[in-house]
């Protein structure tokens, strides 16, 4: 993995300040130690603390450092995998249970936002899955049929209606999912952290996990400049699990192919222009082979994303592609400039579904959100909390062994290089 560069991230610029936290020093004892301060870890901490369980989060960098502070901010229902395919993979009972829980995921997110008064630009008017050509239209029609037979409020829109709701040119239709919406993701992560602290949880930042030793029925963790003793461990690091060299319990990262994803955010657009782009403020992404996404924020910036990493060699290609794309999609956009740009890692599994692992006695994790981090992370954080409190059926996934993907590095490099090559030529004519 290439060394990360500091990039100007819109979410960092516009999120309310994080609650005050600092490194762990000295020795501390807790009931549950949570490794990772993103959606999953913070949701787990909040739900544990609300039940009176002492929960302590240790985060190597800062709250929302990983995918929680870098994603598009689409609060989607379900997984990227079609419902029937998910059931075929997991079986009828387990598959339908997972679909039900993740289908209700956006409701949990927006309920928490309302309950705790989080200032995170939360809008719940649905999302638009945009169809590219006849093949894309067939794809979203299949998704509509599969979700509708499960009672979900989804609807395929005509090309004309799609144009009205998106303002974008060139799509054959769109799947409107009214369960879903958009959010400022880092602001939501910080809101979860603030709520967890208010409920009695502890959060330590700049505190990487360095070592773990089993002592009787307890774990003794060396973290940052201190140590932490806990009976239960929740590992909530997902695609950033190998951020710290030699960190314990990073084997799950060997089954994740890293899909890089970048975003560019414009300057605030004039009101007369912004009013015609996603007027109801749904978030959108397409069915293209190399997926793209676009959405608006409350300051009338349009945020455009696609597959690729903004390293020194590729940034210019992706920037030019993003600019061409916006002009093609929105011919009346006028002059604009990019004020922010950033990238992140999506953890992809071989079956495109999350995985639950017991990594050691009383050490449990869920990873592999496959680009659906916000609602699933919140749902699985709650489920992990209930699991360590003694409910063995709380997690809507069966435990599986870690299965390393020997091709993960090659596939990740292919995604990066392939996206760069496609973006070099796409939408030039």
């Amino acid at each position: 993995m290439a060394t990360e560069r500091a990039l100007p991230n819109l979410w960092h610029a516009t999120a309310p300040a994080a609650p005050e936290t600092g490194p762990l020093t000295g020795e501390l004892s807790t009931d549950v130690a949570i490794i990772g301060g993103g959606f999953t870890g913070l949701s787990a901490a909040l739900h544990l603390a609300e039940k009176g369980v002492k929960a302590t989060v240790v985060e190597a960098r800062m709250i929302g450092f990983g995918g929680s502070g870098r994603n598009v901010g689409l609060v989607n229902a379900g997984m990227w995998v079609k419902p029937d395919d998910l059931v075929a993979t997991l079986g009828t009972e387990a598959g339908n249970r997972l679909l039900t829980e993740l289908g209700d995921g956006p409701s949990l997110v927006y309920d928490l936002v309302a309950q705790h008064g989080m200032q995170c630009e939360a809008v719940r008017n649905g999302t638009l899955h945009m169809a590219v050509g006849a093949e894309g239209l067939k794809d979203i029609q299949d998704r509509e049929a599969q979700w509708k037979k499960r009672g979900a409020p989804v609807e395929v829109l005509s090309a004309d209606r799609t144009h009205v709701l998106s303002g974008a040119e060139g799509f054959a239709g769109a799947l409107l999912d009214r369960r879903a919406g958009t959010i400022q993701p880092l602001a939501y992560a910080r809101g979860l952290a603030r709520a967890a602290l208010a409920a009695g949880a502890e959060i330590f930042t700049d505190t990487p996990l360095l070592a773990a030793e089993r002592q009787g029925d307890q774990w003794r963790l060396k973290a940052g400049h201190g140590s932490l003793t806990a009976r239960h461990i929740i590992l909530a690091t997902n695609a950033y699990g190998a951020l710290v060299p030699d960190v314990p319990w990073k084997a799950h990262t060997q089954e994740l192919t890293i899909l890089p994803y970048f975003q560019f955010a414009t300057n605030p657009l004039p009101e007369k222009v912004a009013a015609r782009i996603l007027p109801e403020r749904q978030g959108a992404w397409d069915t293209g082979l190399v997926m793209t996404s676009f959405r608006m924020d409350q300051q009338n910036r349009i945020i455009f994303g696609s597959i690729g990493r903004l390293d020194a060699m590729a940034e210019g290609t992706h920037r030019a592609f993003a600019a061409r794309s916006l002009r093609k999609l929105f011919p009346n956009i006028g002059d604009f400039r990019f004020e922010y740009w950033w990238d992140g890692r999506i953890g992809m599994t071989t079956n495109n579904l999350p995985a639950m692992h017991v990594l050691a006695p009383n050490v449990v994790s869920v990873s592999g959100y496959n680009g659906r981090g916000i609602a699933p992370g919140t749902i699985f954080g709650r489920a992990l909390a209930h699991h360590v409190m003694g409910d063995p059926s709380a997690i809507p996934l069966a435990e599986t062994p870690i299965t390393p993907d020997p091709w993960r590095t090659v596939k990740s490099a292919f995604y990066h290089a392939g996206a760069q090559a496609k973006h070099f030529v796409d939408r030039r004519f």
Side-chain angles (χ1 to χ4, degrees), residues 5 15 89 113 158 163 170 231 237 250 266 271 278 308 315 338 353 377 419 423:
R5 301 187 298 155
T89 299
V113 168
S158 68
H163 175 67
R231 181 179 178 85
T237 55
K250 65 177 181 180
T266 69
E271 184 61 40
L278 296 164
E315 182 182 319
F338 291 127
L353 294 175
H423 290 164

Side-chain angles (χ1 to χ4, degrees), residues 15 35 120 133 171 217 242 309 316 336 355 388 414:
I35 315 303
C120 57
F171 291 102
D217 65 349
R309 189 172 63 244
F336 66 87
V388 300
F414 173 78

Side-chain angles (χ1 to χ4, degrees), residues 10-11 14 121 281 295-301 303:
L10 171 66
W11 307 138
T14 60
E121 302 188 21
R281 292 302 183 257
R295 58 161 297 189
M296 301 288 287
D297 74 353
Q298 285 188 349
Q299 292 76 40
N300 287 342
R301 297 181 181 89
I303 303 151

Side-chain angles (χ1 to χ4, degrees), residues 14-77:
T14 60
E20 186 174 345
T21 58
L24 173 65
T25 58
E27 296 190 7
L28 188 67
S29 179
T30 190
D31 295 326
V32 182
I34 300 165
I35 315 303
F39 300 135
T40 304
L42 296 169
S43 173
L46 171 59
H47 287 97
L48 286 165
E50 287 181 333
K51 295 296 185 181
V53 178
K54 187 174 183 181
T56 303
V57 176
V58 291
E59 161 58 46
R61 300 290 180 84
M62 65 178 196
I63 292 164
F65 173 81
S68 301
R70 302 167 189 251
N71 68 77
V72 180
L74 304 184
V75 187
N76 280 312

Side-chain angles (χ1 to χ4, degrees), residues 16-346:
E20 186 174 345
T21 58
L24 173 65
T25 58
E27 296 190 7
L28 188 67
S29 179
T30 190
D31 295 326
V32 182
I34 300 165
I35 315 303
F39 300 135
T40 304
L42 296 169
S43 173
L46 171 59
H47 287 97
L48 286 165
E50 287 181 333
K51 295 296 185 181
V53 178
K54 187 174 183 181
T56 303
V57 176
V58 291
E59 161 58 46
R61 300 290 180 84
M62 65 178 196
I63 292 164
F65 173 81
S68 301
R70 302 167 189 251
N71 68 77
V72 180
L74 304 184
V75 187
N76 280 312
M79 298 302 296
W80 174 78
V81 174
K82 291 179 182 178
D84 287 359
D85 293 339
L86 187 151
V87 170
T89 299
L90 298 182
T92 301
E93 183 177 352
N96 283 324
R97 182 190 171 195
L98 182 61
L99 285 171
T100 297
E101 296 218 17
L102 294 184
D104 293 338
S107 292
L108 176 61
V109 171
Y110 290 104
D111 286 349
L112 289 173
V113 168
Q115 178 184 347
H116 298 284
M118 300 179 194
Q119 300 303 307
C120 57
E121 302 188 21
V123 177
R124 195 180 187 185
N125 286 337
T127 53
L128 296 166
H129 193 180
M130 313 290 283
V132 178
E135 186 176 348
L137 184 59
K138 174 63 165 59
D139 178 74
I140 64 169
Q141 288 170 338
D142 288 345
R143 292 177 185 274
E144 177 196 42
Q146 292 179 29
W147 275 118
K148 273 193 167 181
K149 72 182 181 182
R150 294 172 169 87
V154 299
E155 175 188 1
V156 169
L157 308 177
S158 68
D160 288 344
R161 182 62 177 156
T162 297
H163 175 67
V164 170
L165 277 188
S166 67
E169 303 281 351
F171 291 102
L175 181 65
L176 172 62
D177 188 339
R178 301 181 190 279
R179 298 169 295 178
T182 61
I183 212 163
Q184 211 278 29
L186 181 61
Y188 174 56
R190 290 178 175 178
L192 284 174
R194 194 174 296 279
L197 289 168
E202 299 171 300
I203 300 174
F204 295 97
T205 47
D206 295 315
T207 303
L209 176 64
L210 303 174
E213 180 184 2
R214 186 75 169 155
Q215 296 181 344
D217 65 349
Q218 300 281 317
W219 285 99
R220 183 175 177 83
L221 308 180
K222 182 180 179 183
H225 299 290
S227 63
L228 183 63
T229 301
R231 181 179 178 85
H232 292 277
I233 310 292
I234 291 175
L235 189 72
T237 55
N238 199 27
Y240 289 79
L243 188 67
V244 179
D246 302 320
V247 66
W249 304 312
K250 65 177 181 180
H252 71 284
T253 64
Q254 296 302 306
E255 63 183 6
L256 299 178
T257 294
I258 300 302
L259 184 68
Y261 203 85
F262 67 79
Q263 295 176 78
F264 284 88
T266 69
N267 58 294
L269 301 178
E271 184 61 40
K272 65 179 182 179
V273 175
R276 298 174 62 181
I277 300 174
L278 296 164
E280 295 181 7
R281 292 302 183 257
Q282 288 96 353
W285 78 103
D286 67 24
T287 63
L289 178 63
V290 178
M291 186 189 79
T292 62
S293 61
F294 56 92
R295 58 161 297 189
M296 301 288 287
D297 74 353
Q298 285 188 349
Q299 292 76 40
N300 287 342
R301 297 181 181 89
I302 188 165
I303 303 151
F304 178 88
S306 189
I307 296 168
R309 189 172 63 244
L310 298 182
D311 59 28
M313 295 292 291
E315 182 182 319
T317 295
H318 296 317
R319 179 186 294 271
F321 167 70
R324 290 196 308 272
S325 296
L326 289 182
R327 294 190 178 99
K328 287 276 189 179
L329 291 169
F330 310 106
N332 298 318
I333 194 172
D335 293 332
F336 66 87
R337 66 185 182 279
F338 291 127
E339 291 187 339
Y340 300 95
W341 52 95
W342 66 100
D343 59 13
R345 309 172 190 175
I346 298 173

